[in-house]
Amino acid sequence: MKIAVGADHAGFRIKDELKKRLAALGHSVEDAGTDSEQSVDYPDFAERVGRAIAEGRADRGVLVCGTGIGMSIAANKIAGVRAAVVTDPLTAEMSRRHNDANVFCAGARVLAPEKIAELLDLWLKTPFEGGRHERRVEKIRRLE
Ligand code: RB5
C-alpha cells in the first residue's frame, strides 16, 4: 500500500518509528514531515497527507499530533478524506469496517508508541465491510 505519514512536533518521534515499521511490512511510505521537534502547526501536515489521498498519491494516511484530534479535524476538510482518531482496538476496527476510514490519526500524548503501532497494524489489516455501510459512506461523500 502507498501510505503518506505526517506529524507535528508532538508526533515527530513516533512518526519515524511508524515509518520504519510500515516500510518493514512492505508498504511504500511518503513522509510529509515534520522533520524535528521544533514547534509547527498541525494543519500544515494534515493538509499534505490529505492532499496525497485526494490526489491519489497515497491509498492511506497516518497523522500523529498530541491528541490526534486537530489532525483529524483538519484532514477531514479535504474531499475524499475520512480521518478517524483511533484510541483502542474497537475504534481501529470500526473506523475501517463501518466508516472505510482512509486516514489513521493518533495522539502521541494519549497513547504509548507501541500501542499506536499495534493499533495501526490492526487498522491497516481490517477491511471495509461494505453493504449497508457503503450507502452511509456514500452519504458522507455527498456532504463534500
Ligand atoms: C500541539 O501542542 C497540539 O495542540 C497538537 O499536537 C494537537 O494535539 C492538536 O490537536
Side-chain angles (χ1 to χ4, degrees):
M1 237 185 263
K2 288 184 287 177
I3 304 181
V5 178
D8 70 355
H9 49 285
F12 165 69
R13 277 179 188 274
I14 174 78
K15 171 172 70 65
D16 267 18
E17 288 175 36
L18 295 177
K19 264 171 57 183
K20 284 181 205 142
R21 192 174 174 114
L22 291 170
L25 288 170
H27 297 293
S28 148
V29 181
E30 174 183 327
D31 187 347
T34 188
D35 303 324
S36 76
E37 288 185 304
Q38 189 177 337
S39 182
V40 289
D41 298 335
Y42 60 82
D44 297 336
F45 304 94
E47 179 180 4
R48 289 184 194 173
V49 168
R51 300 249 180 257
I53 298 276
E55 291 163 14
R57 285 181 286 112
D59 307 304
R60 300 280 180 86
V62 176
L63 286 166
V64 187
C65 63
T67 59
I69 295 171
M71 286 295 200
S72 69
I73 292 172
N76 277 319
K77 298 290 182 191
I78 296 172
V81 169
R82 289 180 301 281
V85 183
V86 171
T87 55
D88 53 23
L90 183 70
T91 52
E93 275 205 61
M94 297 315 255
S95 63
R96 287 289 313 131
R97 287 196 188 288
H98 287 193
N99 312 118
D100 198 17
N102 52 13
V103 177
F104 172 101
C105 299
R109 294 174 181 156
V110 179
L111 298 172
E114 320 79 68
K115 193 73 203 171
I116 294 178
E118 278 171 27
L119 293 173
L120 179 57
D121 285 353
L122 175 61
W123 185 83
L124 284 170
K125 70 182 185 202
T126 304
F128 177 49
E129 273 179 21
R132 67 188 188 282
H133 302 294
E134 183 57 60
R135 181 181 71 242
R136 294 163 184 168
V137 169
E138 180 53 33
K139 288 188 177 186
I140 293 173
R141 276 191 206 102
R142 282 193 238 135
L143 296 172
E144 291 174 345

